Amino acid sequence: KNFDVFEIIKNVSTDQGNTFTAIVSFNGKLFLGTNSSGLVQFNIADGSFSKISGLNNQIILCLDSGDDGKIYIGTDGGGINVMDLRNYQITFLLHDPANPTTIGSNSIYAFYIDRNGHMWIGTFSACVSHGCSQNLKFNVYTPLNNNILINKSIRSLYFPDFNSKLLGSREGFYY
């Protein structure tokens, strides 16, 4: 099979050789996270690129989209930037040390929205934040009150079924 190759134009080029860290698709467009230049949109129909402005951090570590018409953008230090795809407005989910119901860290390594609309957020040194996309209140997920995960950096999430959760870290994975 032949592949089409697309060169990113200069005004959306990344500083480190067009390095993409995450991709999500929505309505004929790809949204590409980069390691230094924020979020780039690729229009599949015409092959054009455009840079998304308004993010509070340009280092994108993960992306996910929900059934709510939003893209959730995990950054390295800017928390989660939430972009509404109807109007491209961006809001921010940030860690607040004075509020225990906010996300556990502003460095977001992994993000997953389950079929019930619950958010699972792998963070730097704060394990997994878990919350509902409707009220945006979070808590630290600790399976069976197992405190071994409390200060872990969780880099990947995989949920093979409703009752199973695999959490990946540099030390290995937790099931």
Side-chain angles (χ1 to χ4, degrees):
K1 180 174 178 163
N2 292 328
F3 292 94
D4 292 328
V5 177
F6 294 91
E7 295 288 328
I8 297 183
I9 55 178
K10 289 280 185 211
N11 68 338
V12 295
S13 179
T14 66
D15 297 333
Q16 299 182 12
N18 298 335
T19 304
F20 297 113
T21 56
I23 299 174
V24 68
S25 173
F26 188 84
N27 282 349
K29 295 181 178 133
L30 296 178
F31 293 88
L32 311 160
T34 70
N35 65 346
S36 63
S37 295
L39 190 66
V40 176
Q41 177 181 280
F42 175 66
N43 186 319
I44 296 170
D46 65 13
S48 65
F49 287 92
S50 58
K51 186 169 172 46
I52 302 296
S53 61
L55 301 179
N56 70 354
N57 188 292
Q58 300 302 303
I59 302 170
I60 309 300
L61 300 177
C62 58
L63 297 171
D64 201 357
S65 60
D67 293 335
D68 57 0
K70 296 177 181 173
I71 292 180
Y72 296 84
I73 305 156
T75 68
D76 190 12
I80 299 170
N81 289 225
V82 182
M83 185 172 71
D84 189 322
L85 291 168
R86 293 172 299 204
N87 56 21
Y88 284 53
Q89 292 293 312
I90 298 172
T91 57
F92 309 103
L93 300 177
L94 300 168
H95 172 66
D96 177 358
N99 184 348
T101 66
T102 62
I103 59 176
S105 168
N106 284 326
S107 291
I108 310 301
Y109 288 158
F111 192 90
Y112 177 72
I113 302 172
D114 68 21
R115 66 178 165 246
N116 295 319
H118 297 142
M119 296 182 196
W120 299 86
I121 305 159
T123 66
F124 172 75
S125 293
C127 192
V128 174
S129 292
H130 171 257
C132 180
S133 60
Q134 288 151 3
N135 67 13
L136 300 178
K137 302 231 183 264
F138 298 92
N139 59 48
V140 175
Y141 171 72
T142 52
L144 303 175
N145 296 319
N146 185 345
N147 292 332
I148 194 169
L149 296 174
I150 290 295
N151 293 318
K152 296 290 184 197
S153 295
I154 302 301
R155 296 182 168 272
S156 60
L157 303 165
Y158 177 65
F159 298 11
D161 58 53
F162 188 71
N163 294 318
S164 301
K165 294 168 185 59
L166 293 166
L167 311 176
S169 73
R170 286 192 173 174
E171 293 85 22
F173 75 91
Y174 303 91
Y175 180 71

